[in-house]
Amino acid sequence: MKTKVKSKALEAFEEAAETIVNPQLKKWIEQGGKVMGYFCCYAPEEVITAAGMVPFRVRATGSTSTELADAYLTNINCSFCRHAFNMGLQGKYDFLEAVVWLNNCDHIRRIYDNWRRKVGTPLAHMMSLPKLTTDKQVGWWREELAILKEALEKHLGITITNEKLRRAIKTHNETRRLLRQLYELRRKDNPPITGADTLAVVIASTAMPREQFNKMLAELLDELKGAEVTKDCKYRLMLVSSILDDPKYVKVIEDLGGLVVTDSMCFGSRMFWADVDEKAKDPLDALARYYIQVKPGCPRIFGGFPQRSKFVMDMVKEFKVDGIIGLRMVFCDLWAGELFMLEKDLQTASIPVLHIDREYLMAGTIGQARTRVQAFMESIGGGR
Ligand code: SF4
């Protein structure tokens, strides 16, 4: 299955998803621009942009081994974490001026403990993400945002004004609006873009200077408006997952005849299904409220499962989904519980669901996944 439109912007997004330093980011760095890495979509990109840096979501794209990392992390640590840390030890992330972590899971926390000692990025910062979502936690997260802001001001010798924060909120809201427009096209019976290419676009949105990315995505949306559509999709599928940053994984599913038309993923809709309030008097408070109470949550947040299950069910209706594929990184305890509960809700609603445990590298588990997806689609029956 292939997106038929010929687009320079889409080619650039595909390149950004297949590499770590894409040409747009390389140019920014060569012109003296600084880049700050982050690991989780709860990380406040807006504060990083307001500090004049490009926020870059750390991936392990291109990693082939965890040999170095395995000296510090055990083999029951999430393989994404081991591959990402291994790339840090190999110097693949030496272009980063700073990195921010959140205590989103114990596996990521272990990277922080080791990265700041062994990788030596000039600034390594840890934020304490609350587990609940009341106004009290919004206040807590506002304090954490202020601490990050002060750490960046001190490290860079700058002042991050409210004006800079408001401008950054506008830029990142624009990215979110454009990505929602892209998903809007996937509600159609015959969408003009595949799930694999959509994932490449979303990944590129976390790896390029944002204003440049926004211009390029606006171009692609124009090109897709009149574009030829995919007609050979037998089943409309939805992916539910934590980290999935490899479009090739989605392509394997789509080459079997199922088109991925939407998702609930942290490199997906959970990043941009809502906006930060641009009219709020206090931009840090607006950001705290957005990340804790407005943005779609993940199993890291306690007590939010009913909202997350409803988010998935609404997507199923809006995107006319025939079946859901739940992906869990082996040893990911957060998503073990989440997918177990979600499967129950989906079965009650008679929505076909397939749960696949995967390793970070496709090579390890893709053969088995291919067989199971094939069988799953046949079990859905009907077909378009
Ligand atoms: S996949 Fe799970 S274990 Fe791995 S980093 Fe994400 S939340 Fe943590």
Side-chain angles (χ1 to χ4, degrees):
M1 191 140 337
K2 219 177 155 1
T3 303
K4 300 205 170 77
V5 72
K6 291 270 165 286
S7 160
K8 287 218 169 337
L10 185 55
E11 282 163 22
F13 295 150
E14 287 166 348
E15 183 179 0
E18 284 154 15
T19 56
I20 294 292
V21 181
N22 57 73
Q24 292 75 17
L25 190 68
K26 192 162 178 284
K27 198 160 167 219
W28 166 268
I29 295 166
E30 283 163 358
Q31 291 165 347
K34 293 186 184 317
V35 184
M36 182 169 191
Y38 65 94
F39 277 85
C40 165
C41 62
Y42 276 99
E45 296 182 302
E46 293 85 353
V47 177
I48 300 171
T49 297
M53 294 194 282
V54 165
F56 182 95
R57 175 105 183 244
V58 173
R59 291 173 274 131
T61 308
S63 178
T64 54
S65 145
T66 59
E67 200 183 353
L68 302 174
D70 291 348
Y72 304 93
L73 300 174
T74 71
N75 60 6
I76 59 163
N77 272 108
C78 154
S79 51
F80 160 68
C81 294
R82 288 158 52 210
H83 279 281
F85 182 43
N86 203 76
M87 289 181 78
L89 292 169
Q90 290 171 320
K92 300 269 172 64
Y93 277 107
D94 287 357
F95 64 92
L96 296 177
E97 174 66 25
V99 183
V100 60
W101 280 264
L102 293 81
N103 54 338
N104 65 311
C105 75
D106 292 343
H107 303 256
I108 290 270
R109 242 209 300 245
R110 287 288 84 70
I111 302 185
Y112 167 71
D113 296 335
N114 291 290
W115 186 297
R116 65 197 167 104
R117 289 186 182 84
K118 298 298 173 187
V119 176
T121 307
L123 176 65
H125 185 90
M126 170 62 88
M127 301 180 76
S128 170
L129 179 69
K131 290 191 170 22
L132 300 175
T133 59
T134 71
D135 284 354
K136 202 162 158 226
Q137 283 75 36
V138 170
W140 172 285
W141 196 234
R142 190 198 178 293
E143 278 175 40
E144 285 289 325
L145 293 171
I147 293 167
L148 173 66
K149 174 177 165 291
E150 283 145 30
L152 292 176
E153 288 174 327
K154 188 160 162 261
H155 181 74
L156 300 168
I158 60 165
T159 303
I160 301 176
T161 61
N162 277 357
E163 197 34 49
K164 286 179 182 172
L165 283 167
R166 286 200 180 89
R167 269 206 307 277
I169 287 172
K170 276 197 168 45
T171 301
H172 287 278
N173 273 351
E174 179 61 10
T175 305
R176 296 182 181 111
R177 268 194 289 276
L178 290 164
L179 287 168
R180 288 198 300 273
Q181 284 172 31
L182 183 69
Y183 274 52
E184 193 59 36
L185 298 172
R186 302 167 76 200
R187 292 172 196 259
K188 294 183 174 178
D189 288 347
N190 297 304
I193 188 167
T194 65
D197 287 336
T198 303
L199 179 57
V201 176
V202 175
I203 291 169
S205 81
T206 70
M208 286 180 173
R210 288 310 180 273
E211 283 169 6
Q212 196 174 359
F213 170 84
N214 289 349
K215 283 201 191 79
M216 293 165 73
L217 180 50
E219 276 169 34
L220 174 61
L221 287 168
D222 275 352
E223 291 157 345
L224 285 171
K225 276 208 189 84
E228 205 189 326
V229 296
T230 54
K231 284 216 174 68
D232 46 1
C233 126
K234 294 197 210 86
Y235 301 99
R236 294 170 67 87
L237 299 174
M238 174 175 181
L239 298 180
V240 176
S241 175
S242 61
I243 186 154
L244 175 64
D245 62 4
D246 187 353
K248 291 194 291 306
Y249 197 97
V250 182
K251 190 168 183 332
V252 166
I253 293 171
E254 294 187 318
D255 286 347
L256 294 168
L259 183 67
V260 175
V261 292
T262 191
D263 62 70
S264 172
M265 302 198 294
C266 52
F267 264 112
S269 65
R270 290 203 303 271
M271 279 168 51
F272 50 81
W273 220 242
D275 290 334
V276 180
D277 177 5
E278 293 177 15
K279 297 195 180 56
K281 217 154 130 292
D282 172 359
L284 280 185
D285 183 70
L287 285 170
R289 208 160 287 289
Y290 166 77
Y291 282 104
I292 301 300
Q293 291 181 333
V294 178
K295 131 188 209 324
C298 83
R300 168 61 179 66
I301 303 297
F302 286 13
F305 176 73
Q307 291 84 351
R308 296 193 296 269
S309 176
K310 183 176 179 313
F311 180 76
V312 170
M313 299 291 183
D314 291 348
M315 282 282 196
V316 167
K317 283 197 205 78
E318 289 163 24
F319 288 79
K320 301 187 284 289
V321 167
D322 300 313
I324 289 184
I325 299 179
L327 299 170
R328 181 184 80 100
M329 206 67 80
V330 175
F331 303 122
C332 175
D333 30 18
L334 286 176
W335 279 86
E338 184 79 358
L339 286 180
F340 175 78
M341 295 192 290
L342 190 61
E343 278 176 78
K344 298 267 171 277
D345 279 12
L346 293 169
Q347 279 149 9
T348 310
S350 308
I351 297 167
V353 56
L354 171 68
H355 175 165
I356 295 178
D357 285 349
R358 59 182 286 256
E359 288 288 352
Y360 181 72
L361 291 189
M362 267 181 37
T365 52
I366 199 62
Q368 191 208 47
R370 190 180 276 119
T371 312
R372 296 191 60 207
V373 170
Q374 184 73 60
F376 174 61
M377 288 201 282
E378 283 155 17
S379 73
I380 296 178
R384 295 168 185 274

